Amino acid sequence: MRSVEPRQLPLVFADSPSGGGGVRSSGVPEGKAFLLHIAKARKTTGTTTTPATATERMLDEAASPSNLARALLHVARNKGAAGVDGRSVDEVVANAHWLLPRLRRELLSGRYRPGDVRRAWIPKPGGGRRGLGIPNVVDRWVQQAVHQVLAPVYEPSFHHSSHGFRPHRGAGTAITEAKAHLAEGRGWVVGIDLSKFFDRVNHQRLLSRLGQRVADGRLLQLVHRMLKAHVVLPNGTRVATEEGTPQGGPLSPLLSNIVLDELDWEMERRGLRFVRYADDFNVYVRSERAGRRVMASLTRFVEGRLHLKVNHEKSAVARSREVHFLGFSLHPQADGQVEVHLSARSRERLDSKVRELTPRIWGQPLETCIDVVNSYLEGWSAYFRLCTKEGAKLFKRYDAHIRRRMRAIIVRQRGRQRYLYRHLVSRGVSRRAAARTAWRSCGTWKKSNLPGMTRAYGNAWFHARLVGLWQRWYQANPPATVSGQLPFVWPRDTNLKSRM
């Protein structure tokens, strides 16, 4: 390992031709307009290539102007942070009119070299840290261009039980298939956790797999260079990469599916029922004994054949309701139905996040806190709407808990008892009820649920301002329309134990 200055790509922005500054000042819209025009332009190759010829000239396809334009537009939609070179997505898009033809020449001539990858550490929900690799924007652009020509080659041959990072598939389709396996009576789950999967992918084995379908040696060499890109740690140390596909680049998810596709078809050959989402996969069997047998045989295959490592501490054979899969736990019922609940780990994460976003001491206006909470709950509810009705009943309690924490912030912000009393009266609370709340000899948390506070800030007040988890689930999963159906009504607040 050695410490170095961030290495610049061959496509340095300082080489912009004279007058480039004027184009740069035109901003992103002009750059996007240029990319949209190129992306829509039809290719005029003049000949029809066979599939074999197409795989021999895949670099030409990846470096075509239309493919490069679509790739940069995709990178721009995803935004993302700058890499080691410090160049932002907007800056690259604004300079696309001269970067694109130059990048094309670099790729086709073989002179293109990926820049270093910036390492960032993000906390893992279960503890520890996960390494995230952030390539330079131009490198992400090239990775996306390669992804767009490789994906059509591999996507049709991927196993139907693979759901991660694939078009028209995701957590919803994975949970649906898992429910089907459980409904068939396979109530035991073999959960295998791959330890640091993205950091342990064997480069030679991956390139060998790619070589079975890709006949263009230039493209394989390009992928090899991407895999070998040096990593710059937060302290500036630059380290070589001998294995792994760093998370953070557009090509990494596809390469991970290519690596694990061999495992998918091995499980298919053995007649196993499984669901895989990236490196998170479960096998569904009918008994604990069968589960332990499958666990042992698959561990041998993963470690011996794929050269990956199984995390034995996190891998287990258990009932489905005890297994955390994509944030859910599945509960088979006697009638054959399968209820989808939040897993214990997901509940703990939500508890922790709510406490973090609604601290008792909030030094800004309440509206700011509501905006922050809404931003988080919007994304959370969009994902966990996969819960069934029984599992979603817990959302009502979380809604009540969040409202109470908001009321506790209001109590704390008022400070002295007389200020709280005056505030409650100004909110339309009777003087008697306001006095009983303000001068009650108890702490902030208990006051937040006294009648004076719940009348001043009732459910209807929060309904107009705060995202409701139960309401969002109800909107995403409306009941069948029947005559005389009751309209949606807000539930009364119920206490939810909080880890204070």
Side-chain angles (χ1 to χ4, degrees), residues 246-261:
Q247 291 178 269
L251 191 58
S252 182
L254 176 62
L255 295 181
S256 68
N257 275 333
I258 293 174
V259 170
L260 292 177
D261 187 57

Side-chain angles (χ1 to χ4, degrees), residues 34-44 64-67 69-70:
F34 167 78
L35 292 171
L36 288 170
H37 174 73
I38 299 298
K40 293 178 181 178
R42 293 185 177 181
K43 294 182 298 179
T44 56
S64 66
S66 60
N67 188 64
R70 288 188 292 110

Side-chain angles (χ1 to χ4, degrees), residues 307-366:
H307 304 293
L308 298 173
K309 182 68 175 176
V310 172
N311 188 331
H312 297 279
E313 294 182 359
K314 295 185 178 180
S315 301
V317 178
R319 290 285 189 180
S320 61
R321 64 180 62 238
E322 301 169 5
V323 175
H324 169 94
F325 183 56
L326 302 179
F328 302 94
S329 65
L330 307 182
H331 298 218
Q333 307 298 307
D335 59 359
Q337 299 296 316
V338 180
E339 298 289 347
V340 182
H341 292 244
L342 296 179
S343 69
R345 200 184 307 175
S346 294
R347 295 195 299 271
E348 291 173 1
R349 292 176 187 174
L350 182 57
D351 286 337
S352 176
K353 193 65 177 181
V354 167
R355 288 196 300 272
E356 175 188 335
L357 298 180
T358 57
R360 195 68 52 82
I361 301 177
W362 179 263
Q364 303 178 54
L366 183 66

Side-chain angles (χ1 to χ4, degrees), residues 240-299:
T241 304
E242 299 301 331
E243 60 181 3
T245 60
Q247 291 178 269
L251 191 58
S252 182
L254 176 62
L255 295 181
S256 68
N257 275 333
I258 293 174
V259 170
L260 292 177
D261 187 57
E262 184 176 359
L263 173 63
D264 294 342
W265 288 107
E266 175 64 19
M267 290 189 287
E268 171 73 19
R269 187 186 67 80
R270 299 182 184 189
L272 300 175
R273 301 292 185 268
F274 70 95
V275 178
R276 184 175 67 81
Y277 190 99
D279 60 330
D280 190 1
F281 69 98
N282 290 335
V283 182
Y284 298 85
V285 295
R286 296 184 183 275
S287 67
E288 182 179 10
R289 182 178 179 181
R292 298 196 179 282
R293 185 173 62 250
V294 169
M295 170 73 79
S297 63
L298 287 182
T299 298

Side-chain angles (χ1 to χ4, degrees), residues 417-430:
Q417 296 170 328
R418 62 175 180 271
Y419 296 151
L420 178 59
Y421 168 78
R422 293 171 188 171
H423 179 72
L424 294 179
V425 171
S426 70
R427 293 283 307 165
V429 179
S430 68

Side-chain angles (χ1 to χ4, degrees), residues 440-462:
R440 181 74 174 267
S441 180
C442 59
T444 300
W445 182 246
K446 190 167 184 179
K447 279 188 180 181
S448 66
N449 205 37
L450 292 178
M453 285 302 301
T454 57
R455 291 172 189 171
Y457 294 92
N459 292 358
W461 188 88
F462 285 104

Side-chain angles (χ1 to χ4, degrees), residues 18 63 78 96 169 174 179 226 232 252 305 308 344 347 405 443 451 460:
S18 60
N78 290 340
R169 290 170 178 264
K179 289 171 62 178
M226 292 175 180
V232 178
S252 182
R305 182 74 176 272
L308 298 173
R347 295 195 299 271
R405 290 190 67 86

